Amino acid sequence: MNLSNDIDKKEVHIEKKSDSSAVLTTLIKYAAYLVIFFGVLYFIIHYIIPLFHK
């Protein structure tokens, strides 16, 4: 008996699906996160920090 004959060999094929609408949705989501982040940063720099420099 050969052990290699007793073991079932299984091939797994992974297909990478590139859905352009999902990529675009993710891009828009992270772009919105960046806009919000820089908006909050702008607000802190221009309105909150000057309150402590009086």
Side-chain angles (χ1 to χ4, degrees), residues 3-54:
L3 286 177
S4 64
N5 290 337
D6 293 339
I7 297 173
D8 293 330
K9 294 183 180 178
K10 188 182 215 182
E11 291 186 20
V12 178
H13 297 284
I14 299 173
E15 294 182 14
K16 207 172 193 183
K17 294 183 179 178
S18 164
D19 187 12
S20 62
S21 64
V23 173
L24 187 62
T25 303
T26 305
L27 179 70
I28 292 170
K29 179 174 70 172
Y30 285 114
Y33 287 160
L34 284 174
V35 167
I36 291 169
F37 172 75
F38 285 116
V40 169
L41 195 62
Y42 177 84
F43 176 77
I44 290 172
I45 290 171
H46 282 73
Y47 294 105
I48 303 297
I49 292 177
L51 292 176
F52 298 111
H53 289 284
K54 286 186 177 181

